[in-house]
Amino acid sequence: EVAFDTLEETTVPEILRVNLAQVVLQLKGMGVHDPRSFSFLTPPSAENIEKSFELLGALGAIDEEMKLTSYGKEMSKLPLDPVFAHLLLQSSKFECVDEILTVVSMLSAENIFFRPGGRGDDSGGLAAKSAAAHRRFASHEGDLPTLLNVYKAWRKEAVYISASQPSKMRKKLEKEKINKK
């Protein structure tokens, strides 16, 4: 009850809580020259918009005059965070389109690593077992290769059989399922 009493009566609007780079890029892509003068229902802080301009400039989406570059126009066509759009657009140069599509898809979803409650230092606990399982996929190169390792392991283990597709494999799997019971 004490925690409930400390909550605000209304939630803070999302536009005041999130990175605005995607919003600014979309507005620029729709022809809004200066997103700072756009009539937002709940106006974001000038600082948040400036941070968005900095990020978009670093990615090459806007120039020094805050105009959308041709690269920025390409980025604005993708309904993604500008960093993800940049990764996808650059991936063809490095011949890693499939890998980046996979990683961006995984980053766009909920966290794939489930962490059950409990103490992480308890070697017999679920949290410790979970952490040990996650370490199997860890890459010293960073988070993106780690996500790619998870996806590759899943693809290796995944079996797809359509319910409408009668096949020997489907029958074999159903038989194995019955035998395991």
Side-chain angles (χ1 to χ4, degrees):
E1 203 173 301
V2 173
F4 179 78
D5 290 336
T6 62
L7 295 176
E8 295 187 32
E9 286 190 37
T10 58
T11 59
V12 176
E14 186 174 5
I15 199 158
L16 299 177
R17 296 182 276 126
V18 298
N19 175 357
L20 295 178
Q22 183 176 1
V23 173
V24 170
L25 182 62
Q26 296 299 317
L27 287 172
K28 297 288 277 177
M30 292 188 298
V32 176
H33 176 69
D34 187 0
R36 292 172 291 203
S37 64
F38 184 77
S39 179
F40 289 100
L41 199 56
T42 304
S45 70
E47 181 184 345
N48 260 355
I49 291 179
E50 290 303 319
K51 284 181 182 178
S52 299
F53 282 138
E54 287 177 25
L55 175 62
L56 294 173
L59 294 174
I62 58 174
D63 61 19
E64 302 83 28
E65 298 171 0
M66 302 296 174
K67 291 182 182 173
L68 201 58
T69 63
S70 58
Y71 184 65
K73 288 177 186 172
E74 291 299 312
M75 288 175 66
S76 72
K77 293 176 185 176
L78 298 172
L80 296 169
D81 181 280
V83 173
F84 295 165
H86 176 70
L87 284 171
L88 285 174
L89 292 172
Q90 293 297 310
S91 64
S92 62
K93 289 181 184 177
F94 300 98
E95 299 178 0
C96 59
V97 175
D98 289 344
E99 292 85 352
I100 293 298
L101 277 171
T102 298
V103 169
V104 166
S105 297
M106 293 177 79
L107 288 169
S108 298
E110 293 290 322
N111 186 358
I112 62 165
F113 290 113
F114 175 72
R115 298 218 185 259
R119 296 183 340 190
D121 59 336
D122 177 12
S123 61
L126 291 176
K129 290 178 183 175
S130 173
H134 297 169
R135 278 193 295 275
R136 292 184 339 184
F137 306 108
S139 170
H140 69 279
E141 296 172 311
D143 293 341
L144 301 185
T146 296
L147 290 172
L148 199 53
N149 289 342
V150 171
Y151 177 77
K152 286 177 180 178
W154 174 79
R155 285 287 297 176
K156 183 179 174 186
E157 298 296 324
V159 176
Y160 296 101
I161 297 180
S162 170
S164 63
Q165 176 188 5
S167 69
K168 291 180 183 177
M169 182 64 152
R170 179 175 173 76
K171 290 176 185 173
K172 179 181 175 187
L173 288 172
E174 287 174 354
K175 186 177 179 181
E176 287 177 8
K177 186 177 177 181
I178 292 169
N179 290 339
K180 287 182 180 179
K181 290 182 178 180

